[in-house]
Amino acid sequence: GEERRELPQASVSNGGDEDSGRELVELKVIWNKNKYDVKFCLDSTGAELKQKIHSLTGLPPAMQKVMFKGLLPEEKTLREIKVTNGAKIMVVGSTINDVLAVNTPKEAAQQEVKAEENKKEPLCRQKQHRKVLDKGKPDDVMPSVKGVQERLPTVPLSGMYNKSGGKVRLTFKLEQDQLWIGTKERTEKLPMGSIKNVVSEPIEGHEDYHMMAFQLGPTEASYYWVYWVPTQYVDAIKDTVLGKWQYF
């Protein structure tokens, strides 16, 4: 019984002589930018067509959305839904592998959307930054000079906080092309070239100071935040780290 039932299916794809007596229709099946020319029996049902599409595309019937003038009904025959020669059958669906491949970027995309939403809000209002800023200005913060751009001082920039609220100082070792980020516990010596980006934003209510981040890795998760950077040094820090020479 099994073999006989499969014979017409096999013969349909070959377009062989056994099809005489069964009326065939020529279809264009379009899936994922691929086009398949298919001869199929007019008295086959939508469900049988899905099986055929499965054999062509590897797409399981349960994951196929087959469209012909709307969603193709599985229980009706092609004759009943008036499929004619040359009809275009659109198939929408992803193989399991495609679905798995797509899932990871989707999460990344959601994170990007989140990052976008966060960007609209000033950084200093975001919770992670509020924790530090709400401690107020450090006692030993360096004086700021509004409306002036100064070269980097020869002494380390000190009296700033990092994101855990610990004290941090920045030393620019120009002869070694390094930025030293020093805390009470240790000093990180970073080659300037390893810092991908520098961002900064004035602190609300204290616009003469900035919060600043050095991007140490490929994503925003690798930002090293420093708070209470005197505004007059912001441009010089960016230029020095990102390698733009200053002619003063």
Side-chain angles (χ1 to χ4, degrees):
E2 279 303 303
E3 286 165 317
R4 217 174 45 246
R5 244 203 351 259
E6 294 214 1
L7 246 178
Q9 277 284 310
S11 64
V12 165
S13 53
N14 299 335
D17 300 336
E18 296 94 329
D19 295 331
S20 48
R22 302 177 80 220
E23 202 179 334
L24 292 183
V25 65
E26 292 188 2
L27 309 171
K28 277 202 181 308
V29 174
I30 299 164
W31 170 71
N32 212 2
K33 296 185 185 157
N34 299 313
K35 289 184 181 153
Y36 304 89
D37 289 314
V38 179
K39 282 185 177 175
F40 210 67
C41 176
L42 258 182
D43 294 307
S44 297
T45 61
E48 287 171 311
L49 180 58
K50 281 189 159 187
Q51 287 299 339
K52 176 68 181 167
I53 291 168
H54 181 202
S55 71
L56 291 169
T57 62
L59 195 59
M63 298 182 78
Q64 295 175 21
K65 215 182 199 174
V66 181
M67 318 288 281
F68 173 74
K69 297 181 180 169
L71 206 53
L72 183 87
E74 290 200 5
E75 65 292 345
K76 290 194 173 174
T77 65
L78 304 194
R79 191 189 297 278
E80 285 175 303
I81 57 171
K82 299 189 171 51
V83 173
T84 52
N85 263 332
K88 284 186 180 166
I89 307 283
M90 303 293 294
V91 181
V92 181
S94 308
T95 62
I96 296 290
N97 288 343
D98 294 339
V99 170
L100 294 176
V102 163
N103 264 353
T104 5
K106 196 165 130 207
E107 285 158 22
Q110 284 166 346
Q111 283 168 353
E112 272 174 37
V113 167
K114 245 207 201 114
E116 274 304 312
E117 285 168 1
N118 282 346
K119 274 183 200 155
K120 290 174 197 146
E121 182 183 34
L123 290 170
C124 52
R125 286 193 206 155
Q126 288 174 26
K127 206 156 74 188
Q128 56 162 336
H129 303 308
R130 280 266 48 107
K131 275 200 315 233
V132 183
L133 294 173
D134 286 347
K135 290 175 65 160
K137 209 185 282 190
D139 314 330
D140 54 351
V141 72
M142 292 178 85
S144 75
V145 185
K146 251 191 183 155
V148 174
Q149 286 184 18
E150 290 190 9
R151 296 181 66 162
L152 289 174
T154 46
V155 297
L157 289 179
S158 59
M160 297 169 294
Y161 289 137
N162 60 16
K163 73 171 177 205
S164 53
K167 280 292 178 58
V168 64
R169 70 184 171 278
L170 301 176
T171 311
F172 295 88
K173 292 281 184 187
L174 299 184
E175 63 286 358
Q176 287 148 308
D177 205 27
Q178 288 180 344
L179 165 61
W180 292 9
I181 299 180
T183 58
K184 206 167 63 194
E185 296 73 41
R186 61 195 177 140
T187 298
E188 295 269 3
K189 299 180 178 182
L190 304 168
M192 300 277 195
S194 70
I195 300 170
K196 311 272 185 294
N197 196 12
V198 182
V199 296
S200 75
E201 189 179 280
I203 295 170
E204 257 184 347
H206 300 276
E207 277 72 11
D208 45 342
Y209 288 94
H210 279 232
M211 45 193 280
M212 181 174 261
F214 300 96
Q215 186 178 336
L216 307 183
T219 65
E220 292 193 4
S222 61
Y223 276 175
Y224 187 100
W225 285 96
V226 177
Y227 304 85
W228 303 100
V229 179
T231 186
Q232 70 268 30
Y233 299 130
V234 168
D235 285 343
I237 293 172
K238 286 184 182 175
D239 290 350
T240 303
V241 171
L242 299 174
K244 294 177 193 139
W245 292 103
Q246 292 185 297
Y247 299 102
F248 279 124

